[in-house]
């Protein structure tokens, strides 16, 4: 029996981003860069690896991300490291470590980076995925919450989304949350037999996550449950009210979702998410005023969000967005024949490129037929044919692909000649 060769595949849940897919990533990156830099954000990139402890502390030990989804390992040197599952905590680490605390505040940063979570893969849910995100550090004011929500709204609009609605909530802070948790626990106590198995675990470990359950039965029970907005203290209430007034003023469409919670422990006060019509979460974020202190810095207010780039791209394709052409079609194709011409062709190609003329060639091919076939396929207006004889004589043949007329041109004049011809068409 012939042994079939075992082919090594990509890691489960991780996908290649092939050349045909790159223009979509470039599109999101370009739009993101334009808008974020207009609004004064600077790009930051942190390492993909951090000490595991950073996420345990920052994201929270009781979260699904830290408990079940991190790629963590011990290095040969004995360090306990983790592939970053999200960008906020590493950026706060970098903010403190690089002395940004002493710079004029707020500091506005953005990133476009891969993240890693060991989740159950499915359409739009990967184990390596890309986030485009922002962090505004150094401001407690509700105007900052509104500002970054507005920027997210504008970005999604400019990417091509219409009719997106923000879901927004306030989860208060350490002053108001304990009371709410107590009331929520009392509410569920008599109903615990009716909730799903995961919710029974959440009831013990992280009761707020019960608000996030997708199970229909649990959702029904929750409808009559207590809402955190009713437990906000005066300051949190005022903060939330002002955020909403700002959003009304700048016309960002939102709905209040009193049961919205997020899967990361660092949030306080405002949180928000954007979902598509299939309830897939495209973006999420919120305020995290305690995180900087928690990670060893001083007291700074902060707020941010991240978009799931892979998911956004899936949806942009679904809604039929056409990508703008980033590169004009080549107008010239260089055909080379024989050793000498092949050697000189690379230099010639570079001279055309430097002159700003979009030229193509296939240096790996030898026959004139196959090279002309490519030139035809590309639909170029002119082909340059550079053979052994031309290379020796210092000439090149210029072929008009429309009329098939060929002319011999001295090599030193060819760039000027091509420029002239291209201007004429
Ligand atoms: P997050 O909601 O965990 O927030 O992730 C942000 C976005 O990343 C989600 O809305 C989703 O679109 C995308 N995403 C999450 N997991 C996956 C996955 N497995 N596959 C594909 N896409 C995924 C954060 O990460 C926070 N750091 C956001 C933030 C920034 N909050 C404040 N500043």
């Amino acid at each position: 029996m012939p042994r079939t060769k075992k082919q090594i595949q990509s890691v489960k849940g991780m996908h290649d981003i092939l050349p045909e897919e790159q223009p979509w990533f470039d599109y999101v990156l370009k739009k993101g860069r334009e808008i974020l830099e207009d609004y004064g954000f600077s790009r930051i990139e942190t390492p993909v690896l951090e000490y595991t402890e950073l996420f345990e502390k920052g994201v929270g030990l009781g979260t699904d991300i830290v408990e079940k989804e991190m790629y963590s390992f011990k290095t040969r040197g004995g360090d306990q490291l983790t592939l970053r599952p999200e960008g906020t905590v590493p950026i706060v680490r970098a903010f403190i470590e690089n002395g940004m605390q002493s710079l004029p505040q707020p500091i506005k940063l953005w990133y476009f980076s891969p993240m890693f979570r060991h989740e159950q893969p499915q359409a739009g849910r990967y184990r390596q995925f890309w986030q485009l995100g922002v962090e505004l550090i150094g401001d407690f004011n509700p105007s900052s919450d509104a500002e970054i929500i507005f920027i997210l709204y504008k970005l999604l609009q400019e990417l091509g989304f219409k009719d997106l609605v923000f879901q927004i909530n306030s989860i208060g802070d350490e002053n108001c949350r304990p009371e709410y948790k107590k009331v929520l626990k009392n509410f569920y106590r008599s109903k615990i037999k009716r909730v799903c198995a995961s919710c029974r675990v959440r009831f013990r470990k992280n009761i707020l996550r019960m608000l996030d359950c997708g199970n229909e039965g649990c959702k029904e029970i929750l409808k009559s449950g207590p809402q955190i907005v009713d437990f906000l203290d005066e300051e949190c209430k005022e903060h939330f009210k002002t955020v909403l007034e700002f959003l009304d003023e700048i016309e960002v469409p939102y709905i209040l979702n009193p049961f919205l919670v997020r899967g990361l422990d660092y949030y306080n006060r405002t949180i928000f998410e954007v979902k598509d019509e299939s309830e897939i979460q495209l973006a999420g974020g919120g305020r995290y005023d305690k995180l900087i202190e928690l990670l060893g810095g001083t007291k700074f207010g902060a707020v941010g969000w991240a978009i799931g780039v892979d998911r956004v791209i899936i949806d942009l394709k679904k809604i039929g967005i056409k990508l703008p052409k980033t590169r004009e079609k080549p107008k010239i194709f260089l055909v080379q024949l024989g050793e000498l011409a092949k050697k000189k062709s690379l230099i010639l190609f570079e001279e055309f490129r430097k002159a700003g003329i979009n030229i193509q060639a296939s240096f790996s091919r030898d026959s004139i037929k196959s090279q002309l076939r490519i030139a035809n396929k590309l639909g170029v207006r002119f082909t340059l044919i550079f053979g052994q004889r031309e290379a020796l004589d210092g000439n090149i043949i210029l072929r008009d692909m429309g009329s098939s007329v060929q002319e011999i041109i001295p090599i030193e004049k060819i760039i000027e000649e091509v420029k002239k011809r291209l201007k004429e068409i």
Side-chain angles (χ1 to χ4, degrees):
M1 283 275 282
R3 285 237 320 253
T4 45
K5 260 203 243 161
K6 187 173 178 292
Q7 210 188 326
I8 301 173
Q9 309 257 320
S10 62
V11 174
K12 187 177 171 190
M14 304 205 175
H15 64 295
D16 303 307
I17 304 171
L18 298 172
E20 56 269 29
E21 206 53 20
Q22 294 296 341
W24 289 96
F25 280 76
D26 290 346
Y27 173 65
V28 178
L29 174 61
K30 185 167 176 278
K31 281 265 184 255
R33 183 195 298 276
E34 271 167 23
I35 296 181
L36 298 174
E37 295 192 349
D38 281 352
Y39 277 93
F41 286 78
S42 309
R43 190 168 181 181
I44 184 167
E45 186 59 60
T46 59
V48 286
L49 283 172
E50 298 278 357
Y51 290 109
T52 304
E53 201 191 341
L54 180 76
F55 298 111
E56 288 175 348
K57 227 175 167 177
V59 174
L61 277 171
T63 59
D64 279 357
I65 293 182
V66 172
E67 222 172 51
K68 306 179 198 156
E69 295 170 2
M70 295 207 304
Y71 283 89
S72 299
F73 59 94
K74 212 174 197 136
T75 64
R76 287 166 203 268
D79 288 330
Q80 181 60 47
L81 304 183
T82 291
L83 276 170
R84 66 171 167 220
E86 63 98 51
T88 310
V89 168
I91 286 175
V92 169
R93 193 240 345 109
F95 172 84
I96 301 167
E97 190 173 328
N98 294 287
M100 287 188 234
Q101 297 189 96
S102 56
L103 299 176
Q105 309 296 326
I107 301 288
K108 294 162 134 191
L109 303 166
W110 72 277
Y111 52 97
F112 188 94
S113 319
M115 306 293 162
F116 305 85
R117 293 184 195 175
H118 196 275
E119 293 189 79
Q120 201 45 47
Q122 60 182 55
R125 194 201 284 155
Y126 308 108
R127 290 182 173 175
Q128 176 175 341
F129 58 97
W130 290 76
Q131 281 187 352
L132 167 64
V134 304
E135 310 298 346
L136 183 155
I137 308 177
D139 190 35
F140 288 98
N141 282 309
S143 56
S144 287
D145 309 43
E147 178 188 340
I148 65 144
I149 292 175
F150 182 68
I151 295 168
L152 174 57
Y153 179 54
K154 286 292 144 199
L155 173 59
L156 290 170
Q157 261 188 339
E158 286 207 12
L159 284 170
F161 286 101
K162 292 194 181 73
D163 308 325
L164 285 177
V165 177
F166 281 73
Q167 297 199 23
I168 188 161
N169 194 17
S170 172
I171 51 165
D173 59 16
E174 70 284 0
N175 296 324
C176 13
R177 227 172 301 149
E179 180 60 18
Y180 176 63
K181 281 190 183 169
K182 216 160 76 189
V183 175
L184 195 61
K185 209 146 206 172
N186 283 337
F187 167 77
Y188 274 119
R189 201 155 273 139
S190 58
K191 303 169 182 67
I192 199 67
K193 289 209 177 93
R194 287 161 49 207
V195 300
C196 72
S198 317
C199 272
R200 260 173 253 153
V201 178
R202 291 179 189 133
F203 180 77
R204 277 187 289 110
K205 284 191 161 173
N206 191 352
I207 187 145
L208 285 182
R209 297 297 301 169
M210 288 183 83
L211 307 182
D212 206 18
C213 184
N215 178 293
E216 287 306 321
C218 296
K219 280 202 222 166
E220 198 50 43
I221 294 171
L222 183 62
K223 277 186 186 159
S224 58
Q227 302 186 355
I228 189 151
V229 279
D230 297 326
F231 293 81
L232 298 182
D233 64 17
E234 278 315 308
E235 276 180 41
C236 289
K237 215 182 276 172
E238 187 56 32
H239 189 278
F240 193 39
K241 194 173 135 259
T242 316
V243 173
L244 299 182
E245 281 167 3
F246 262 106
L247 295 182
D248 290 335
E249 188 64 35
I250 55 184
E251 294 181 2
V252 173
Y254 66 86
I255 49 167
L256 291 174
N257 177 352
F259 298 120
L260 182 68
V261 281
R262 305 261 306 132
L264 306 107
D265 276 357
Y266 49 64
Y267 291 112
N268 66 313
R269 295 192 168 168
T270 321
I271 53 164
F272 52 89
E273 285 181 358
V274 182
K275 290 188 174 159
D276 67 8
E277 74 270 17
S278 324
E279 288 296 291
I280 303 289
Q281 193 193 310
L282 297 178
R287 182 161 274 287
Y288 48 95
D289 298 329
K290 290 277 160 216
L291 185 60
I292 296 100
E293 254 178 308
L294 184 71
L295 297 179
T298 38
K299 207 167 168 2
F300 280 105
V303 57
W305 49 253
I307 286 177
V309 176
D310 311 75
R311 291 182 185 179
V312 159
I313 290 174
I314 292 174
D315 276 13
L316 289 176
K317 287 181 186 169
K318 259 197 232 156
I319 57 181
I321 295 297
K322 296 268 172 292
L323 289 183
K325 287 217 165 31
T326 47
R327 219 183 146 81
E328 58 165 29
K329 269 173 59 174
K331 297 207 168 69
I332 312 286
F333 192 87
L334 174 61
V335 169
Q336 33 71 38
L337 303 162
E339 264 319 290
L340 182 63
K342 198 190 263 286
K343 279 183 194 145
K344 289 182 184 268
S345 286
L346 273 172
I347 299 292
L348 190 59
F349 186 94
E350 178 59 14
E351 281 169 4
F352 269 93
R353 197 188 67 79
K354 272 208 191 126
I357 299 169
N358 190 351
I359 186 168
Q360 288 288 302
S362 177
F363 297 113
S364 60
R365 287 177 204 252
D366 293 327
S367 92
I368 186 162
K369 223 166 127 190
S370 69
Q371 291 181 70
L372 282 175
R373 206 178 301 132
I374 299 171
N376 268 323
K377 229 175 167 177
L378 288 171
V380 293
R381 182 58 203 265
F382 299 105
T383 297
L384 301 171
I385 302 169
F386 197 35
Q388 186 79 357
R389 202 160 103 218
E390 287 77 27
L392 285 170
D393 294 351
N395 290 328
I396 193 159
I397 297 169
L398 177 68
R399 178 187 171 98
D400 185 319
M401 298 298 274
S403 62
S404 299
V405 172
Q406 299 195 163
E407 291 163 70
I408 297 175
I409 315 268
I411 195 95
E412 68 277 7
K413 296 225 170 88
I414 190 63
I415 291 184
E416 278 323 300
E417 194 56 38
V418 164
K419 272 191 184 165
K420 205 170 89 199
R421 305 277 171 115
L422 288 176
K423 250 193 214 144
E424 284 164 8
I425 52 172

